[in-house]
Amino acid sequence: MRYVYGITAALLLGGTAATLTVGPVGAQTAQNDPAAIARAAPRAGAPMSFADLAARLQPAVVNISTKQSIEVSRSPFPPGFEEFFRRFGGRVPETGEDNTITQRGGSLGSGFIVSADGYIVTNNHVIAPARDGATVDEITVTLADRKEYEAELVGRDIASDLALLKIDAQNLPFVRFGDSTQTRVGDWVVAIGNPFGLGGTVTAGIVSALHRGITGSGAYDRYIQTDASINQGNSGGPMFDVNGNVIGINTALISPTGGNVGIGFAIPAEQARPVIEALRRGERPVRGYIGVSLQPLDEGIADSLGIPRNRGELIRGVQPGSPAARAGIEQGDVIITVDGEAVTPDQTLSYLVAQQPVGSRIPIELIRNGQRRTVTLIIAERPTEEELAELGGGGEEAEIQPEPEEQQTESQRQARESLGVTVQTLTPAVARQLQLNDASIRGVVIAAVDPSSDAAAEGLRPGDIILSINQNATPTPEAAAAAVEAARRTNRGSVLLLVRRGNNPPLYVGVDLVRS
């Protein structure tokens, strides 16, 4: 089971209640007016028991387990001994033995049969290696009647966290996907799975929310939220509606304790079905791609750009030669619609683009420097996750020593007083110290951060490079000071920084100006 850890708190209020009527009498009725509630109340025949439904569906739900081998190093020395030698220039003594051992591990999860000849759907993370260095030796599927089969991995899709297995059996009970687009908040749902390895377990609840994002990015960050109990081992199991249709695949939960607190998530059937169908055909799922890295518009960034929150996404970077680059989309643009569909937290840019047919020409509406414009681009096919990972980068942190205050220029002093950070020119020597792999980077490097500033609260730290402020390049402290002063003259309370850390892609950060 994947976790999204959270901390919950409850505030109990006591006292009297009063009824308040707002607006002209008769202008509208209360949401819980008896006449309105009578029309919206649960229809006759709402389930008093799920027993018959569970008995019918349980045979198609399976338990999935893996056996894994994990190579780990075994040192004959006490903890910290090897690091002690390395730190002081010594050579770690050789033992003349192979210091690796093989440990055994495994995983437990759920799945469901989607064909009489043994195709089974589950989550990828249920049957994936538990960690780096691990290999999956065997996948075992246990049916409701306790028969066990060794399963073959037909295909997996990391992006959607889905996998398809096959067992050698015939005439199996199976279930079909339903239409999750018709699911509404408040609908009854039933989850069947293998929580904590206990075996087939049925829980029920309602749909708590739709189109819920829990990672903040990605074409598949669009889950059904439920209060039906979802726990470890439920991953990969089906979520049914009251008609027995699979409308979701249980995947994740939010929990401060590791157990169920009534916030579980399922991949909607509308997203899972085409992925599973592609895997069954032996194909890789095809998704739209335009070649940009994205960043949601939080309050600080939206304020610094002077645009509303929760509408659009910020382009953090554009891949050279990509459809976005050929269409003229630039770093710092805010995309607000894709083919006429609004970009919102419920309909992210990644989701909207992924649904577009490869090769189609679509209009993209964006905001650049406060002006709206529309560009047209041709959708490409999304690369594999491995290919996308190669486009990223990494770098080690380095300690940057700030120049003595008496040696700092007036521009450096202004930046420190306005932003709460001390900056200096990114010289070739500093670039080497930061181990930057791109010699063309121009910006100012942060040497110190005022811990009481908003910059510190936003996570800026020494060694970060400010590439621009409010879309104005900042190759020198003087340019940085001028950009901040321009923001002050327009009565802006915050500025938008484009920040690069090491060899990672740059990130936009909205920072409040220090009040003078």
Side-chain angles (χ1 to χ4, degrees):
M1 176 56 61
R2 294 164 59 201
Y3 293 92
V4 183
Y5 285 97
I7 298 176
T8 60
L11 177 64
L12 303 180
L13 301 178
T16 59
T19 300
L20 178 64
T21 301
V22 181
V25 175
Q28 65 182 60
T29 60
Q31 294 298 107
N32 57 350
D33 179 85
I37 287 295
R39 294 191 298 269
R43 64 185 184 277
M48 297 300 292
S49 170
F50 295 101
D52 291 339
L53 188 66
R56 180 72 180 174
L57 299 174
Q58 270 191 296
V61 181
V62 302
N63 297 339
I64 298 174
S65 62
T66 68
K67 293 181 180 179
Q68 304 187 17
S69 300
I70 306 171
E71 297 292 330
V72 297
S73 61
R74 177 183 60 184
S75 174
F77 306 111
F81 185 83
E82 295 181 13
E83 178 60 27
F84 176 83
F85 266 78
R86 292 190 181 98
R87 180 174 299 181
F88 293 99
R91 186 170 63 89
V92 178
E94 296 182 1
T95 64
E97 299 177 358
D98 182 3
N99 289 323
T100 62
I101 59 173
T102 300
Q103 294 183 343
R104 301 298 177 186
S107 62
L108 289 171
S110 305
F112 55 100
I113 306 170
V114 292
S115 70
D117 57 348
Y119 283 95
I120 295 169
V121 174
T122 188
N123 282 137
N124 176 61
H125 74 263
V126 169
I127 50 86
R131 67 185 208 188
D132 291 342
T135 57
V136 177
D137 302 320
E138 184 179 321
I139 302 174
T140 300
V141 169
T142 305
L143 305 188
D145 60 7
R146 303 190 184 279
K147 289 182 180 178
E148 292 188 358
Y149 295 86
E150 184 173 345
E152 170 197 357
L153 176 61
V154 176
R156 57 158 45 107
D157 182 59
I158 297 174
S160 61
D161 192 23
L162 292 171
L164 183 65
L165 307 178
K166 178 70 168 65
I167 61 174
D168 186 12
Q170 298 294 327
N171 300 318
L172 295 173
F174 65 95
V175 291
R176 296 188 177 96
F177 284 110
D179 184 3
S180 59
T181 63
Q182 301 301 310
T183 301
R184 300 195 304 164
V185 173
D187 282 348
W188 281 107
V189 289
V190 175
I192 304 179
N194 179 33
F196 301 107
L198 293 173
T201 299
V202 180
T203 58
I206 62 169
V207 173
S208 303
L210 296 171
H211 307 158
R212 185 70 85 196
I214 59 177
T215 66
S217 63
Y220 290 91
D221 192 31
R222 188 178 167 89
Y223 296 89
I224 299 172
Q225 181 182 329
T226 180
D227 66 349
S229 293
I230 306 294
N231 287 290
Q232 294 183 59
N234 272 113
S235 279
M239 173 187 286
F240 296 101
D241 63 17
V242 291
N243 295 315
N245 299 307
V246 178
I247 60 168
I249 301 173
N250 302 316
T251 297
L253 68 141
I254 287 179
S255 174
T257 62
N260 170 66
V261 294
I263 306 177
F265 300 94
I267 301 170
E270 63 189 281
Q271 295 179 194
R273 185 191 295 108
V275 173
I276 296 303
E277 289 174 350
L279 294 177
R280 189 168 177 175
R281 294 192 302 266
E283 300 172 356
R284 183 169 68 89
V286 176
R287 305 179 182 88
Y289 174 78
I290 62 173
V292 296
S293 55
L294 302 170
Q295 191 173 341
L297 287 174
D298 61 24
E299 185 174 2
I301 294 176
D303 288 346
S304 65
L305 291 172
I307 61 178
R309 286 185 62 195
N310 298 327
R311 180 70 189 276
E313 285 188 73
L314 184 63
I315 300 300
R316 190 176 73 178
V318 180
Q319 186 66 26
S322 66
R326 292 193 294 270
I329 293 175
E330 300 176 359
Q331 184 183 64
D333 289 346
V334 177
I335 295 184
I336 55 177
T337 70
V338 175
D339 198 23
E341 294 285 337
V343 177
T344 67
D346 289 342
Q347 287 195 141
T348 65
L349 180 61
S350 294
Y351 171 77
L352 291 173
V353 168
Q355 310 311 308
Q356 303 296 325
V358 173
S360 61
R361 295 175 60 88
I362 61 168
I364 300 284
E365 187 179 6
L366 56 85
I367 297 176
R368 181 182 299 165
N369 297 325
Q371 303 296 317
R372 290 193 179 216
R373 61 180 66 190
T374 300
V375 300
T376 301
L377 53 72
I378 299 175
I379 297 293
E381 182 177 347
R382 179 183 173 89
T384 65
E385 297 304 309
E386 293 77 11
E387 292 168 339
L388 289 173
E390 291 177 1
L391 300 177
E396 297 182 4
E397 299 175 19
E399 183 178 355
I400 303 299
Q401 294 296 330
E403 298 170 346
E405 191 168 336
E406 61 272 11
Q407 296 180 15
Q408 295 178 12
T409 65
E410 177 65 18
S411 296
Q412 289 174 299
R413 183 187 62 78
Q414 291 176 4
R416 185 180 73 245
E417 293 179 353
S418 297
L419 294 175
V421 298
T422 300
V423 299
Q424 59 192 54
T425 303
L426 179 62
T427 64
V430 173
R432 286 193 298 273
Q433 188 178 357
L434 293 172
Q435 301 182 32
L436 301 180
N437 56 21
D438 185 353
S440 65
I441 296 175
R442 298 291 180 269
V444 290
V445 62
I446 296 177
V449 181
D450 180 352
S452 63
S453 67
D454 188 54
E458 292 295 336
L460 296 184
R461 62 193 191 202
D464 289 347
I465 302 166
I466 300 176
L467 304 175
S468 69
I469 298 178
N470 280 355
Q471 314 289 12
N472 297 303
T474 54
T476 64
E478 290 73 21
V484 171
E485 181 58 29
R488 284 196 181 281
R489 286 197 300 269
T490 58
N491 296 319
R492 286 278 182 88
S494 60
V495 292
L496 184 68
L497 309 183
L498 180 60
V499 180
R500 175 166 174 155
R501 178 167 296 165
N503 292 311
N504 296 298
L507 185 74
Y508 282 102
V509 181
V511 174
D512 292 341
L513 295 174
V514 178
R515 296 183 180 180
S516 56

